[in-house]
Amino acid sequence: MFTPLAQWIDRNILSLGRDMRLSYLPPLMVYMAYGISGLTGIVGTFFVKDYLGLSASFLAALGFWAGIPWALKMPIGHTVDLLWRWKSWLVGLGAGFLALSLGIMAALIGNREAMTAILPAEVWFVISALLSPIGYVIQDAVADAMTVEAVPRVDERGRPFDEPTRKLMHTTMQTLGRVAIVGGGILVAMINVYVFTGVEGLPQTEIVRLYKQVYLMALVIPFVSVLGLGVAWWLRRQHRQQLLQQGFSREQAEQMVQVREESGEPTKPNWWILGGSLAFVLFTLTVGFGGFAYSEEIVFAGSMSIVLFLMARLVRELEPDKRFTLVGTAVVVFLFRAIPGSGPGATWWMIDQLKFDQQFLSVLSLIGSTLTLVGMFVFRRFMAERSIAYVVGFLTIIGTLLALPIVSMFYGLHEWTARMTGGFVDARFIALIDTALESPLGQISMIPMLAWIANSAPANLKATFFAVMASFTNLALSFSQLGTKYLNEIFIVTREVKDVATGVIQTPADYSQLGSLLIVQLLLGLALPFLAIMFAKVTRFKSA
């Protein structure tokens, strides 16, 4: 019994540690910076709930606009390919946007009167919310391409790696990328648990001081991403020196180190991508600032049309079989990620009705991030050995089952279980168990697709192909935000909003329609992915 278990642990968990290479570290640092971004998540939730009078549907619409920069990842990724020599400047630019976004929120929380003398607090919040994704998408596009550069072509003695070895290294690299993101989430969850210990007994002024402190701590995020570039430069220098010591000429060593030069073809500007993307930006800005009715829907339809056109031009670079696989995979992942959410109302309800405070939400985040990391080790072979359609179907069924306890708690499940168990199985107990079971599922579906791109896309267009899939699947998140907005317009959920100065209640709390919202969201989450899987099964557009 022990030997098979030990072999399974070695094959699924320990082997990933053995497969880790120092060259993987630079992109992992950029990914970890993205993971650390969750440091401000809980603070942001409570700040919006307590100090800003923004509705659930408005916040969902803001989530749509914040997702637009991610839909622009295609031209950004192609720009990274074109300006690869200057990628450090691109990472620095992204870091600047992040620092500005975090600085705005720190100033808004700590010096509200000075900030609101210039612009309303809600406007500052919107500006910060829009700057942050611009910074992250620039850095993420560079990091995606750096994952290809991180996988070496030759070993320390200059001997080329065979194809199966390189495929395994690409899968390992992409898995470790998700591990770095989740690892950053674990780190910030631990910090939040520490920061918010005993918060329920503090006066409001002390809580505000803690909020500001968290945003100031978050300024380490842009520093970590920039530090990753310095590590990349040092590792390339060390690898080059090793090859020189093996007797290779400086030119040979340079060619072996520069992974992106293996095709021998410089990346040429794709004017369809650049021109179409310029049209995309102008179109989005015109509609966004033009005050049009249904502006989000117009932008989504136009964005999807432009991205589909650009994808059609780009996939011509692939062989027909790989082209159909790419399209089929994109459709499956799109509909899986297009599932609308319940919006902020569910969290507001947990805070107001279930009395989940900052520290408990931090504990949930810590448990979720830790078990997500464990799950990615455990499911690594599962992902590598099965199709994306199979993985998505599995995640959909399990995710639906694990969403049932939250829906049931709205209708009193926790009250019944507490009575039956003498108060042991209460709302917090159910939330802890549900988070523990659900958490490993979130990051899994993207890994096989990323590994397929890293291994199959043309060598001089890696960043572009990463960005193509990211633009398309991130539009799915924008579609998800639209769906979330519609649900919150149909089922109205409000939390209590008070005037900051007078304490007068401006909007009373009303969670009566939250149950219907959660049920509809649950059914959509089950139906949409299986529609995509059926598409991949009955058409020639198979999934990877």
Side-chain angles (χ1 to χ4, degrees), residues 245-537:
Q245 292 173 4
Q246 293 293 328
F248 292 99
S249 68
R250 185 167 296 276
E251 183 179 352
Q252 289 173 322
E254 191 66 31
Q255 289 177 347
M256 292 176 182
V257 171
Q258 296 297 332
V259 176
R260 288 180 61 87
E261 301 301 325
E262 65 178 310
S263 68
E265 299 178 6
T267 304
K268 298 178 181 178
N270 187 319
W271 296 110
W272 286 105
I273 290 178
L274 297 177
S277 301
L278 177 61
F280 173 87
V281 172
L282 294 176
F283 170 78
T284 302
L285 292 177
T286 300
V287 175
F289 290 104
F292 294 96
Y294 303 104
S295 58
E296 290 94 351
E297 291 79 1
I298 295 171
V299 168
F300 176 79
S303 303
M304 179 61 81
S305 300
I306 293 170
V307 170
L308 287 176
F309 173 74
L310 296 177
M311 283 181 66
R313 302 291 306 184
L314 186 63
V315 296
R316 295 180 182 180
E317 302 285 339
L318 294 174
E319 299 170 2
D321 185 57
K322 290 183 178 180
R323 188 183 310 157
F324 293 140
T325 300
L326 181 67
V327 173
T329 300
V331 171
V332 171
V333 175
F334 181 92
L335 285 181
F336 182 67
R337 290 164 68 90
I339 299 170
S342 58
T347 304
W348 295 341
W349 171 74
M350 291 178 187
I351 294 170
D352 286 344
Q353 301 298 319
L354 303 183
K355 305 304 179 184
F356 290 180
D357 57 19
Q358 294 94 328
Q359 185 188 18
F360 182 70
L361 290 178
S362 299
V363 170
L364 288 182
S365 176
L366 177 59
I367 292 173
S369 297
T370 302
L371 292 179
T372 297
L373 184 61
V374 173
M376 288 169 61
F377 281 94
V378 172
F379 286 109
R380 184 166 70 113
R381 295 286 177 178
F382 171 82
M383 292 182 288
E385 295 168 0
R386 288 170 175 81
S387 70
I388 291 178
Y390 186 97
V391 172
V392 167
F394 171 81
L395 295 178
T396 299
I397 293 173
I398 299 300
T400 301
L401 293 175
L402 293 176
L404 289 174
I406 300 298
V407 179
S408 301
M409 278 204 293
F410 180 82
Y411 293 100
L413 172 67
H414 58 292
E415 297 171 354
W416 178 79
T417 56
R419 285 197 305 270
M420 297 297 293
T421 61
F424 182 72
V425 182
D426 59 1
R428 293 196 174 200
F429 181 91
I430 294 172
L432 285 170
I433 299 301
D434 192 59
T435 300
L437 294 174
E438 186 179 11
S439 53
L441 307 178
Q443 290 282 344
I444 291 174
S445 64
M446 294 296 291
I447 295 174
M449 184 187 73
L450 295 172
W452 184 87
I453 295 172
N455 195 55
S456 303
N460 64 328
L461 290 172
K462 296 289 188 183
T464 305
F465 270 83
F466 273 119
V468 165
M469 291 300 291
S471 292
F472 186 64
T473 55
N474 285 324
L475 274 176
L477 297 182
S478 296
F479 189 69
S480 172
Q481 289 292 339
L482 278 180
T484 303
K485 187 189 80 165
Y486 297 149
L487 288 179
N488 279 272
E489 289 177 346
I490 296 170
F491 305 101
I492 306 298
V493 177
T494 61
R495 86 286 194 195
E496 184 179 275
V497 178
K498 294 182 179 180
D499 184 270
V500 176
T502 64
V504 174
I505 297 176
Q506 297 176 319
T507 305
D510 182 5
Y511 297 110
S512 58
Q513 298 186 50
L514 179 61
S516 300
L517 188 156
L518 292 174
I519 292 172
V520 172
Q521 191 268 338
L522 181 72
L523 295 175
L524 289 173
L526 181 63
L528 289 177
F530 278 101
L531 287 175
I533 293 171
M534 289 177 59
F535 170 81
K537 292 294 184 183

Side-chain angles (χ1 to χ4, degrees), residues 60-72:
L62 179 59
F64 169 83
W65 291 106
I68 292 299
W70 290 99
L72 277 170

Side-chain angles (χ1 to χ4, degrees), residues 26 228-238 240:
L229 291 173
V231 174
W233 173 84
W234 181 80
L235 289 175
R236 282 197 303 273
R237 183 174 177 275
Q238 291 296 107
R240 190 182 300 111

Side-chain angles (χ1 to χ4, degrees), residues 143-177:
D144 284 345
M146 287 173 69
T147 62
V148 180
E149 185 183 57
V151 174
R153 297 166 54 198
V154 298
D155 61 18
E156 293 79 2
R157 298 184 179 182
R159 296 173 300 190
F161 290 109
D162 58 30
E163 181 62 22
T165 301
R166 283 179 58 80
K167 182 177 181 180
L168 177 61
M169 288 193 292
H170 278 301
T171 302
T172 300
M173 177 71 254
Q174 297 305 326
T175 302
L176 288 171

